[in-house]
Amino acid sequence: LNKDVIDGLAIWAQEWGNPSSIHQSGRGAKTLIREARNNFAKMINAQGLEVVFTGGGSESNNMALKGVFSAIRTQKNINFFEQNRNELLISAVEHPSIMKVAEALILEGYVVKKIPVNREGKIDLDFFAKALSEKTALVSVMYANNETGHIFPIAKMVELAHEVGAYFHCDAVQALGKAPIDVKKWNVDLASFSAHKFYALKGCGALYHKKGIISDALIHGGAQERSRRAGTENILGISALGKMAERFKEIDEKSINVKELRLFLEEKLKQEIDGLEILGESSKRLPNTTNAFIEGIDGETLLINLDIEGISVSTGAACSSGSSEPSPVLLAMGYKVTEAQKSLRLSLGWGTTRQELEIFVKTLKTLVKRIRDLYTHSN
Ligand SMILES: Cc1ncc(COP(=O)(O)O)c(C=O)c1O
């Protein structure tokens, strides 16, 4: 959590009124939401009215996909209904909050096509161009993958999708705070964000909903968020996100710094540890994410041992941890189960220091040696 957010919490909590109430304390809470909306909209280059605050990235993703297909089914989007647009195109490496919705849409009779992503993390643009047609209602492709950090060419893909008249949704959850975001430049119709990726609170997010795009609400009830998302607003979560959004001008500088540290880490890892490979190293990646394979050692074994040393790393997506299943993302990229099990995901933040990375590499080197020695003696 950012210090500005921690300090702000006690102040924002004093606005105890319901933002839908007309009395003074309600108006105070409403002002907080308005300010946060304007700050957030400015950061992503949207208008305030195009921002819908949600309960996080998963909800934003659900709202985008289910909302578009619901509006076709209920004939609110009469054009798409009459054109019989019934196809969804997604990448093969989307987050479960897209994958699971796609599975549900298949059960409802819609057609879902998955765009392949290769071992280097590159999306197959030829496949994409061929799969697009006047049947495509929606394309949903993430800005960057949460496990590998690989970035996809969103603006180019939006152009192709719009040529056939389809809508484009981008799961931009991983972009927040790591890359400049300009929804107008990308020209996307819908985009999802999550506050906790940006040092704000968990359980809050936003959906960019371009003016004129026809989609249904996910949560029905009161008229909050212009009837796009019913329910009394999460004032603390929204204010925290708005507070961080004020700092959008710092993102470029912070990202350059984080990228330098990541390159330093990767060089050191390759120097110090035999049989270490960085997944899709030469492809375009987020500044803060490294996914490394270490020959002969499971990522999970390292995760547990590093945790004992007080260092937090990850294997697959955080959402699927707790299970020892290999990452579906890596399997979709063509890695074998035994390869995917070696994956170790390392994430850097605005506060990471060179000294911490040096300690990390030293610790990892010792652990790798110890585990390899153990394997040699037990064989
Ligand atoms: C790419 C991506 N999309 C969606 C989500 C879900 O966001 P949330 O945890 O806020 O629901 C995540 C979470 O890590 C993510 O990495």
Side-chain angles (χ1 to χ4, degrees):
L1 276 191
N2 186 274
K3 188 172 178 310
D4 291 351
V5 169
I6 296 170
D7 293 346
L9 286 173
I11 300 163
W12 305 322
Q14 284 170 32
E15 297 295 354
W16 54 269
N18 187 320
S20 300
S21 300
I22 293 163
H23 52 61
Q24 214 173 347
S25 55
R27 288 204 305 275
K30 201 177 179 126
T31 304
L32 286 180
I33 299 179
R34 191 177 55 243
E35 283 171 3
R37 191 186 310 285
N38 289 340
N39 287 342
F40 188 78
K42 198 166 160 199
M43 173 172 76
I44 65 169
N45 193 19
Q47 293 174 28
L49 295 179
E50 295 174 314
V51 172
V52 184
F53 288 120
T54 66
S58 300
E59 185 187 318
S60 301
N61 282 345
N62 272 258
M63 185 173 164
L65 269 58
K66 291 178 185 167
V68 165
F69 284 95
S70 167
I72 299 173
R73 192 170 48 245
T74 55
Q75 301 185 32
K76 284 193 198 75
N77 189 340
I78 194 71
N79 279 343
F80 277 24
F81 177 78
E82 282 176 354
Q83 291 159 4
N84 196 19
R85 287 186 186 258
N86 65 349
E87 288 188 10
L88 167 70
L89 254 69
I90 58 176
S91 86
V93 297
E94 293 297 315
H95 187 264
S97 55
I98 294 287
M99 288 298 186
K100 293 278 158 72
V101 180
E103 283 168 24
L105 289 170
I106 292 172
L107 294 178
E108 287 179 29
Y110 296 106
V111 177
V112 175
K113 291 181 181 162
K114 286 188 188 163
I115 313 156
V117 173
N118 70 14
R119 286 170 71 95
E120 290 301 307
K122 293 216 164 68
I123 195 158
D124 189 337
L125 288 179
D126 286 341
F127 178 100
F128 177 55
K130 285 192 193 115
L132 281 168
S133 76
E134 67 288 350
K135 287 265 168 234
T136 317
L138 179 67
V139 178
S140 180
V141 174
M142 63 204 330
Y143 171 81
N145 186 267
N146 43 310
E147 292 185 39
T148 63
H150 291 124
I151 294 175
F152 298 132
I154 294 303
K156 170 85 197 142
M157 297 182 85
V158 173
E159 211 179 297
L160 293 171
H162 284 172
E163 276 172 19
V164 298
Y167 284 165
F168 197 103
H169 166 252
C170 176
D171 174 350
V173 164
Q174 286 292 332
L176 209 52
K178 294 161 201 149
I181 295 167
D182 187 330
V183 290
K184 291 281 178 301
K185 208 154 140 193
W186 293 351
N187 202 16
V188 289
D189 303 301
L190 298 145
S192 300
F193 302 95
S194 177
H196 69 99
K197 301 291 170 189
F198 192 34
Y199 309 102
L201 300 182
K202 295 172 186 69
C204 182
L207 180 72
Y208 162 71
H209 191 283
K210 193 200 267 171
K211 210 169 142 199
I213 292 303
I214 305 168
S215 79
D216 275 341
L218 181 67
I219 300 176
H220 301 268
Q224 290 93 348
E225 298 297 289
R226 307 179 82 229
S227 298
R228 293 208 173 279
R229 203 272 188 180
T232 303
E233 298 87 338
N234 171 2
I235 302 287
L236 293 185
I238 292 171
S239 301
L241 179 55
K243 188 75 204 163
M244 288 309 296
E246 275 178 18
R247 302 181 55 173
F248 79 101
K249 289 210 175 102
E250 292 171 50
I251 293 176
D252 266 355
E253 193 194 312
K254 300 266 191 218
S255 297
I256 292 170
N257 186 33
V258 170
K259 187 173 174 184
E260 271 173 17
L261 286 173
R262 192 202 78 210
L263 293 173
F264 166 76
L265 168 69
E266 291 177 351
E267 278 317 305
K268 247 196 123 57
L269 283 171
K270 287 187 290 183
Q271 260 170 32
E272 299 290 333
I273 298 170
D274 289 342
L276 182 142
E277 184 196 331
I278 311 285
L279 195 143
E281 186 174 4
S282 55
S283 301
K284 206 170 167 205
R285 283 182 290 146
L286 286 175
N288 75 318
T289 310
T290 295
N291 200 319
F293 286 0
I294 300 176
E295 195 46 51
I297 307 182
D298 267 9
E300 203 163 76
T301 308
L302 287 171
L303 183 152
I304 295 163
N305 281 282
L306 284 164
D307 189 40
I308 294 167
E309 302 291 333
I311 299 173
S312 309
V313 299
S314 159
T315 51
C319 327
S320 44
S321 64
S323 72
S324 50
E325 294 294 308
S327 148
V329 165
L330 299 184
L331 297 183
M333 288 168 71
Y335 289 97
K336 291 197 231 83
V337 171
T338 46
E339 288 177 303
Q341 277 166 338
K342 286 187 283 184
S343 151
L344 194 66
R345 178 160 63 118
L346 313 171
S347 308
L348 280 60
W350 285 4
T352 308
T353 63
R354 197 172 270 252
Q355 199 188 8
E356 283 171 339
L357 296 177
E358 275 166 356
I359 294 170
F360 166 70
V361 176
K362 208 168 149 201
T363 312
L364 185 66
K365 188 177 176 179
T366 311
L367 288 174
V368 167
K369 185 175 178 319
R370 196 191 299 158
I371 295 165
R372 280 182 175 155
D373 284 351
L374 220 98
Y375 287 168
T376 319
H377 288 121
S378 58
N379 281 332

